[in-house]
Amino acid sequence: MASNDLMVGLEIGTSKICVVVGEARLDGTTKILGVGQAPSRGVRKGEIVDFETAMKCVLEALSDAETKSDVMIKGVYVGVTGAHIQSFNNRGCVMLPDDYEEIDEQDIEDVKINAREVSIPAQNAFLHSIIQHYHVDGQDGVLNPVGMLGQKLEADFHIIHGVRTRIQNTIRCVKELPLEVEDVVFNALASAQVVLTQQQKNLGALVIDIGGGTTDFILYVDGAVKQSGTIGIGGDHITNDISMGLRIPMARAEKLKIDEGSVILGNCLPGETVVLKDDSGFAGKEVERETLNTIIHLRMRETFELLKRTLDEEAFINFIGEGIFITGGCSLLRGIDNLAEEIFEIPARVAHAQTMSGLTSAFQNPQFSTAIGLIKYAQAVQAERPQRRGFGRIFSRFLPGIR
Ligand SMILES: Nc1ncnc2c1ncn2[C@@H]1O[C@H](COP(=O)(O)OP(=O)(O)OP(=O)(O)O)[C@@H](O)[C@H]1O
Ligand SMILES: [Mg+2]
C-alpha cells in the first residue's frame, strides 16, 4: 500500500494513549484499519510531565496499532491539549492594486498572515488559523475568493495558540521514537471532525471533550469555529474527589465512579448504599450512593459552570441551533447530558465518532473521538494539498521554526 494513502492519528491522553490507522479510499471516504492503545503514564492534564515514561507508553500503543492494522507507521498527526491553549477571532486585510487581475492563493496566504499580526504572549506559537469567512470589497460570506476580482480582500480567522515549548515537548516525544510529525492539531478540533456533521456545524454546535485531565471545547456557528480552548479539569479530578471524600484508594474510586457513579442527585432511595468488597490491603467499605453522586455532581457542575463563564465572554453560545455534543471518556458518566442541559439551558447529548468505515463498535466510544478525528482532519488536509500547491493546510499550521 502506498504510504501516502495511510493516515495515523495519535492522542497522548492523560488516561490512555491511542493510535488510529486509517486508509484514504478513492471515493474520498476513509477506512479505519486498526486502533492501538496503551494506558498513559507521564502525562498530567493532557501534557507530558515525564518524557521517558510517556515515550514508552506511546511506543506500546504504536506497536499495538501496527500489529492490529498490519502496517508500519512512519508518521502521525498528533493531538495537543493543555490549559495553555488559547484562542481569539481576528480579521486580516490586504489591499490589491487597481489593475490587479484576480485574487490568487498568495493573496489568501497574505490575508492569513495579516490576521496573525496581533500580539500573542512571547512564549506562545500559533497552532491554527481557521478560516471563518472572506469578504471581497465589502461583500460578505464569500466562501472562496480565488479567481474573483476585487481590491480589498478581508478574512476572519479563528486563531488558536499555545505555549511553544509545551507543544514542542509533544512533538519531541514523537520525533524521538523516531516518527515523523505530519501535523499538530488541537484535540477538540480533531474530535469535532467526527462528532459533528457539516450540517451540525452550519446550524451551530458546541463540542465538549471531557477526558481524564482536560476539558477541551470548540464552538461552531454558521459552519465556522468561533470559540475554542481547554480547561484543566477532567475525570481524574472526580476520581480524586471520590478517593479523598470517601477515603478509599484511587483505583477503587475510579472503579466505583465508572460502575456506580452518576451526576444526577435525588435519584437514590433513602440510605441506599454501595458495598465495596475488601481487597489487597483495603478493608472494604459501605458508601452512601447519594454521597458518591453528590461528589461527582459537584465537580461536573463546577467544570460546566467554568466553561459557561468562559463561553459567555462572547455571545456565540446563543447561536448553537444543534446544541451541545459531549464526548471523551467522561461523557459516559450517567446523566452528564442532563446536567449540561440544566447549566447551559441548551439541549445536550453524548456523542462519538460516526462517519468512518471499518470502525468497529468497540471504538464507537467517546474516548476515541480525538484520535479518530485526527484521521478525518488528516484526510481533509491531504485532499486540500494538491489544490493549494504548497499553501496546503486548510486549517493552517505553526509559524516556521517551531519544529
Ligand atoms: N464508563 C465510564 N463512566 C465514567 N467515566 C468514565 C467511563 N469510562 C471512562 N471514564 C473516564 O474518562 C476519563 C478518560 O477519558 P479519555 O480517555 O477521553 O481521556 P484522555 O483522552 O486520556 O485524557 P485527556 O484528553 O484529558 O488528556 C477518565 O477519567 C475515566 O475515569
Ligand atoms: Mg482526550
Side-chain angles (χ1 to χ4, degrees), residues 364-384:
Q364 282 180 335
N365 174 327
Q367 283 191 260
F368 301 105
S369 298
T370 297
I372 297 170
L374 285 165
I375 297 287
K376 191 86 185 287
Y377 179 95
Q379 185 190 12
V381 167
Q382 292 186 3
E384 194 82 352

CSV table of all heavy atoms in Angstrom, one decimal, residues 364-384:
chain,number,residue,atom,x,y,z
A,364,GLN,N,-16.5,2.9,18.7
A,364,GLN,CA,-17.5,3.9,18.6
A,364,GLN,C,-17.8,4.3,20.1
A,364,GLN,O,-18.9,4.1,20.6
A,364,GLN,CB,-18.8,3.4,17.9
A,364,GLN,CG,-18.6,3.4,16.4
A,364,GLN,CD,-19.8,3.0,15.6
A,364,GLN,OE1,-20.6,2.2,16.2
A,364,GLN,NE2,-19.9,3.4,14.4
A,365,ASN,N,-16.7,4.7,20.7
A,365,ASN,CA,-16.7,5.0,22.1
A,365,ASN,C,-16.2,6.4,22.2
A,365,ASN,O,-15.2,6.8,21.5
A,365,ASN,CB,-15.7,4.0,22.8
A,365,ASN,CG,-15.5,4.3,24.2
A,365,ASN,OD1,-15.5,5.4,24.7
A,365,ASN,ND2,-15.3,3.2,25.0
A,366,PRO,N,-16.8,7.3,23.0
A,366,PRO,CA,-16.4,8.7,23.0
A,366,PRO,C,-14.9,8.9,23.4
A,366,PRO,O,-14.4,10.0,23.2
A,366,PRO,CB,-17.3,9.3,24.0
A,366,PRO,CG,-18.1,8.3,24.6
A,366,PRO,CD,-18.0,7.0,23.8
A,367,GLN,N,-14.3,7.9,24.0
A,367,GLN,CA,-12.9,8.0,24.4
A,367,GLN,C,-12.0,8.1,23.2
A,367,GLN,O,-10.8,8.6,23.3
A,367,GLN,CB,-12.4,6.8,25.3
A,367,GLN,CG,-12.9,6.9,26.7
A,367,GLN,CD,-12.2,5.9,27.6
A,367,GLN,OE1,-12.8,4.8,27.8
A,367,GLN,NE2,-11.0,6.1,28.0
A,368,PHE,N,-12.4,7.7,22.0
A,368,PHE,CA,-11.6,7.6,20.9
A,368,PHE,C,-11.9,8.8,19.9
A,368,PHE,O,-11.3,8.8,18.8
A,368,PHE,CB,-11.7,6.3,20.2
A,368,PHE,CG,-11.4,5.1,21.1
A,368,PHE,CD1,-12.3,4.3,21.6
A,368,PHE,CD2,-10.0,4.9,21.4
A,368,PHE,CE1,-12.0,3.3,22.5
A,368,PHE,CE2,-9.7,3.9,22.3
A,368,PHE,CZ,-10.6,3.1,22.8
A,369,SER,N,-12.8,9.7,20.3
A,369,SER,CA,-13.2,10.7,19.3
A,369,SER,C,-12.0,11.5,18.8
A,369,SER,O,-11.9,11.8,17.6
A,369,SER,CB,-14.2,11.7,20.0
A,369,SER,OG,-15.3,11.0,20.3
A,370,THR,N,-11.0,11.9,19.7
A,370,THR,CA,-9.9,12.8,19.2
A,370,THR,C,-9.0,12.0,18.3
A,370,THR,O,-8.7,12.5,17.2
A,370,THR,CB,-9.1,13.2,20.5
A,370,THR,OG1,-9.9,14.0,21.3
A,370,THR,CG2,-7.9,14.0,20.0
A,371,ALA,N,-8.6,10.8,18.6
A,371,ALA,CA,-7.7,10.0,17.8
A,371,ALA,C,-8.3,9.7,16.4
A,371,ALA,O,-7.7,9.8,15.4
A,371,ALA,CB,-7.2,8.8,18.5
A,372,ILE,N,-9.6,9.4,16.4
A,372,ILE,CA,-10.3,9.1,15.1
A,372,ILE,C,-10.5,10.4,14.3
A,372,ILE,O,-10.3,10.4,13.1
A,372,ILE,CB,-11.6,8.4,15.4
A,372,ILE,CG1,-11.4,7.0,16.0
A,372,ILE,CG2,-12.4,8.2,14.0
A,372,ILE,CD1,-12.6,6.3,16.5
A,373,GLY,N,-10.8,11.5,15.1
A,373,GLY,CA,-10.9,12.8,14.5
A,373,GLY,C,-9.6,13.2,13.8
A,373,GLY,O,-9.7,13.9,12.8
A,374,LEU,N,-8.5,12.9,14.3
A,374,LEU,CA,-7.2,13.2,13.7
A,374,LEU,C,-7.1,12.6,12.3
A,374,LEU,O,-6.5,13.3,11.4
A,374,LEU,CB,-6.1,12.7,14.6
A,374,LEU,CG,-5.8,13.6,15.8
A,374,LEU,CD1,-4.9,12.8,16.8
A,374,LEU,CD2,-5.2,14.9,15.5
A,375,ILE,N,-7.7,11.5,12.1
A,375,ILE,CA,-7.7,10.8,10.8
A,375,ILE,C,-8.5,11.6,9.8
A,375,ILE,O,-8.1,11.9,8.7
A,375,ILE,CB,-8.2,9.4,10.9
A,375,ILE,CG1,-7.3,8.5,11.8
A,375,ILE,CG2,-8.4,8.7,9.5
A,375,ILE,CD1,-6.1,8.1,11.1
A,376,LYS,N,-9.7,12.0,10.3
A,376,LYS,CA,-10.6,12.8,9.4
A,376,LYS,C,-9.9,14.2,9.1
A,376,LYS,O,-10.0,14.7,7.9
A,376,LYS,CB,-11.9,13.0,10.2
A,376,LYS,CG,-13.0,13.6,9.3
A,376,LYS,CD,-13.8,12.5,8.6
A,376,LYS,CE,-14.8,13.1,7.7
A,376,LYS,NZ,-16.0,13.6,8.4
A,377,TYR,N,-9.2,14.7,10.0
A,377,TYR,CA,-8.5,16.0,9.8
A,377,TYR,C,-7.4,15.8,8.8
A,377,TYR,O,-7.3,16.6,7.8
A,377,TYR,CB,-7.9,16.5,11.1
A,377,TYR,CG,-7.1,17.7,11.1
A,377,TYR,CD1,-7.7,19.0,11.4
A,377,TYR,CD2,-5.8,17.7,10.7
A,377,TYR,CE1,-7.0,20.1,11.3
A,377,TYR,CE2,-5.0,18.9,10.6
A,377,TYR,CZ,-5.6,20.1,10.9
A,377,TYR,OH,-4.9,21.2,10.8
A,378,ALA,N,-6.7,14.7,8.9
A,378,ALA,CA,-5.6,14.4,8.0
A,378,ALA,C,-6.1,14.2,6.6
A,378,ALA,O,-5.6,14.7,5.6
A,378,ALA,CB,-4.9,13.1,8.4
A,379,GLN,N,-7.3,13.6,6.5
A,379,GLN,CA,-7.9,13.3,5.2
A,379,GLN,C,-8.3,14.7,4.5
A,379,GLN,O,-8.0,14.9,3.3
A,379,GLN,CB,-9.2,12.5,5.4
A,379,GLN,CG,-9.8,12.1,4.1
A,379,GLN,CD,-11.2,11.5,4.4
A,379,GLN,OE1,-11.7,11.5,5.5
A,379,GLN,NE2,-11.8,10.8,3.4
A,380,ALA,N,-8.8,15.6,5.3
A,380,ALA,CA,-9.2,16.9,4.8
A,380,ALA,C,-7.9,17.7,4.3
A,380,ALA,O,-7.9,18.3,3.3
A,380,ALA,CB,-9.9,17.7,5.8
A,381,VAL,N,-6.9,17.6,5.1
A,381,VAL,CA,-5.6,18.2,4.8
A,381,VAL,C,-5.0,17.7,3.5
A,381,VAL,O,-4.6,18.4,2.6
A,381,VAL,CB,-4.6,18.1,5.9
A,381,VAL,CG1,-3.2,18.5,5.5
A,381,VAL,CG2,-5.0,18.9,7.1
A,382,GLN,N,-5.1,16.3,3.4
A,382,GLN,CA,-4.5,15.7,2.2
A,382,GLN,C,-5.3,16.0,0.9
A,382,GLN,O,-4.8,16.1,-0.1
A,382,GLN,CB,-4.3,14.2,2.4
A,382,GLN,CG,-3.2,14.0,3.5
A,382,GLN,CD,-2.9,12.5,3.7
A,382,GLN,OE1,-3.4,11.6,3.0
A,382,GLN,NE2,-2.0,12.2,4.6
A,383,ALA,N,-6.6,16.1,1.1
A,383,ALA,CA,-7.5,16.4,0.0
A,383,ALA,C,-7.2,17.8,-0.5
A,383,ALA,O,-7.3,18.0,-1.7
A,383,ALA,CB,-8.9,16.2,0.4
A,384,GLU,N,-6.9,18.7,0.4
A,384,GLU,CA,-6.7,20.1,0.0
A,384,GLU,C,-5.3,20.3,-0.6
A,384,GLU,O,-5.2,21.3,-1.4
A,384,GLU,CB,-6.9,20.9,1.3
A,384,GLU,CG,-7.0,22.4,1.1
A,384,GLU,CD,-8.4,22.8,0.8
A,384,GLU,OE1,-9.3,21.9,0.5
A,384,GLU,OE2,-8.7,24.0,0.7
